[in-house]
Structure formats: C-alpha cells, structure tokens
Amino acid sequence: GDREGIPPTLGPARMTSSGVQGGGVPSGSGRAQAVVRRKDVNPSSCVLVSRRQTGNPLLRYIKNVRWTFVDDLVPDYQMGQSSIALFLSLKYHLLHPQYIHYRIRELQRAFRLRVLIVHVDVDDPVKPLNAVTKLACLSDFTLICGWSYEECARYVETFKTYETKPHDVLLGSKSTAATDDYTSRVTHALTQIRGVNKTDVLTLTTAFGTLREILQASEEDLSSCAGLGPTKVKRLYDAFHSDFYPKVPGAGKPLGE
C-alpha cells in the first residue's frame, strides 16, 4: 500500500509487541521508553514531536526551545495549541509521492495554522516542488522550504518562539522603526543627486513633509528652502522631471529613416 517502503525516520509510528515504537529505534534494542500521550503534555510549554520523527537530523538543531516526544501525535510537530507542521524530504517525496497525501489525510481539517516544511535535498527541485506547492495550496497548508536540516529547525523554533507574540512585534513600531526607515530611504534616494547632502534632505522633508510633495514641487517652491541655491535647485528639479532612461538617438523611428 501507500505505507510500503516508508523509512523509519519519516514513516508513521508502528505497533510492536512492546507498544508504539518510533522509527529509527530498532525493535528490542535499548531500554524501553515510557509512552507519552498527547493529553499529558501542554503544547504551550514546549514543541511536541511525533515519535515518527525519531532519527530525523532536524532535531539536533532545535536548541532554543524545549521539545519532547509524544507517541500519539498526528502531525510531526506541534508548536502551539493551533499550529502544527509536517516535515517532508523532497528526495523521499520522489521515491514515495503518495506519502504526503496520506499524512495530510490523517490531519483532516484540524488546526488553524498548518505548515509543510520541505527539505530541499535534490539537485533539481523544480518539478517536485511544483507538485508539493499545488498540494499545499489545495490542502490549506503554508509551504516553507529549507535547504538544510538546520534551516528547517529554525522555522520550527521561530513558530514556537512567536506563538504568543502580538503582531506588532513582527511589523515593528510604527512610531519609531517605520518612521526611521522611511526617513533613511528618502535620504538615501535624494543624496544620490549631485551636491545634495543630508542637511538639504532634512530641509526638504521639513518644508514639504513627504517625498511625493518634494517630487511635485516647482522650482520656485524648491528655491524657497533655505540653503538651496540656484544650482542645487536646478539639479533637483531636473532629476525629478527628466526621463528615467536616457533617450537613445534614433529610437522609435521606423527602419530606413
């Protein structure tokens, strides 16, 4: 069936005579592990990891948040009350294309944030990524690609770290970061004009407020700003009103003219 050939590190947990055993741990070797159930662990305190991920090198790189194995966890990772992730290797997907379909069917429509973390470990990922992207869109999954196990682990950690953070932590403070960024970008753009310095930019932004108003200002308006002489005003005005690309002689004329 679809499960045939699924490697221990990626396949569904399987039943043995000693109970549920995750992949990558040979049957009968080592000491018995206590069975941990989903209902016994609070996903707010750590990342829950399915036993089927035993042996996945990704786990070695989860160092900034706590995590624990759970035997009856359906997704591969649960980063919060309503956020989960499935892990897929593209190399494995090429060998077993039905595996990810089976895993998504297992989840049904549970969880609000569903992430598919894809490890890009093939030389030519275009065709398999097209198929996986389509499946993710149709199954309401957010697709995230990582080119190393360490990168994939960072995504799991980040989702966990920002689980309870407000949205403005990601957007930044509108009153400081956004304003400072806008000012620095305007300054960078205008100081590309010969002779215009940071003091001139401060004068212009104080007088006109926004870059749009500066660009629409007439030569007379620009001349009214202290410290802007006729030469600088002309350079500014010409920069704002000249063609973006220089005209090429003969361009646009019919052939033969």
Side-chain angles (χ1 to χ4, degrees):
D2 293 343
R3 302 189 188 187
E4 186 177 354
I6 294 176
T9 54
L10 297 177
R14 55 190 184 278
M15 296 299 297
T16 68
S17 57
S18 58
V20 178
Q21 180 180 357
V25 182
S27 177
S29 65
R31 67 175 185 271
Q33 294 175 319
V35 175
V36 180
R37 299 297 182 188
R38 166 65 184 82
K39 62 182 179 64
D40 299 325
V41 186
N42 182 3
S44 297
S45 62
C46 60
V47 176
L48 308 187
V49 181
S50 170
R51 286 283 186 195
R52 57 165 55 93
Q53 290 293 295
T54 301
N56 189 337
L58 179 154
L59 296 175
R60 296 202 302 265
Y61 298 102
I62 300 181
K63 301 175 181 179
N64 299 312
V65 296
R66 295 177 58 240
W67 62 271
T68 185
F69 280 119
V70 175
D71 291 273
D72 58 348
L73 191 67
V74 177
D76 292 328
Y77 303 91
Q78 184 169 351
M79 296 85 71
Q81 293 288 355
S82 59
S83 59
I84 58 90
L86 294 179
F87 176 84
L88 178 67
S89 155
L90 274 190
K91 185 181 295 184
Y92 180 79
H93 177 68
L94 289 173
L95 297 173
H96 307 278
Q98 293 304 313
Y99 166 75
I100 190 60
H101 292 268
Y102 160 74
R103 296 302 312 285
I104 290 175
R105 284 199 302 269
E106 269 191 316
L107 280 174
Q108 299 177 5
R109 289 290 172 180
F111 303 101
R112 183 170 59 87
L113 175 61
R114 297 141 56 91
V115 181
L116 178 57
I117 299 177
V118 175
H119 182 208
V120 182
D121 51 359
V122 296
D123 294 331
D124 185 10
V126 175
K127 187 174 180 179
L129 266 183
N130 281 340
V132 171
T133 300
K134 181 179 179 181
L135 178 62
C137 291
L138 294 176
S139 305
D140 195 25
F141 267 79
T142 297
L143 177 66
I144 293 182
C145 297
W147 273 256
S148 67
Y149 287 111
E150 185 174 7
E151 184 182 356
C152 294
R154 291 293 83 77
Y155 289 125
V156 174
E157 288 184 339
T158 301
F159 277 110
K160 182 60 185 175
T161 302
Y162 284 88
E163 175 191 4
T164 58
K165 303 290 185 183
H167 70 281
D168 55 1
V169 171
L170 299 175
L171 296 176
S173 173
K174 292 183 178 180
S175 60
T176 56
T179 303
D180 292 344
D181 182 59
Y182 176 77
T183 302
S184 65
R185 290 164 66 183
V186 171
T187 302
H188 176 74
L190 294 183
T191 52
Q192 302 306 303
I193 301 171
R194 184 182 173 189
V196 177
N197 55 44
K198 293 182 179 179
T199 302
D200 297 328
V201 175
L202 180 59
T203 300
L204 289 166
T205 53
T206 302
F208 297 102
T210 66
L211 179 60
R212 179 173 181 170
E213 295 298 323
I214 296 172
L215 296 176
Q216 293 178 344
S218 65
E219 286 189 75
E220 184 180 352
D221 293 332
L222 294 172
S223 299
S224 66
C225 296
L228 297 184
T231 302
K232 198 172 290 186
V233 167
K234 188 175 188 316
R235 286 175 180 168
L236 281 165
Y237 187 81
D238 288 347
F240 299 157
H241 296 85
S242 298
D243 292 333
F244 190 78
Y245 293 105
K247 291 184 178 179
V248 178
K253 292 183 179 181
L255 293 175
E257 287 190 7

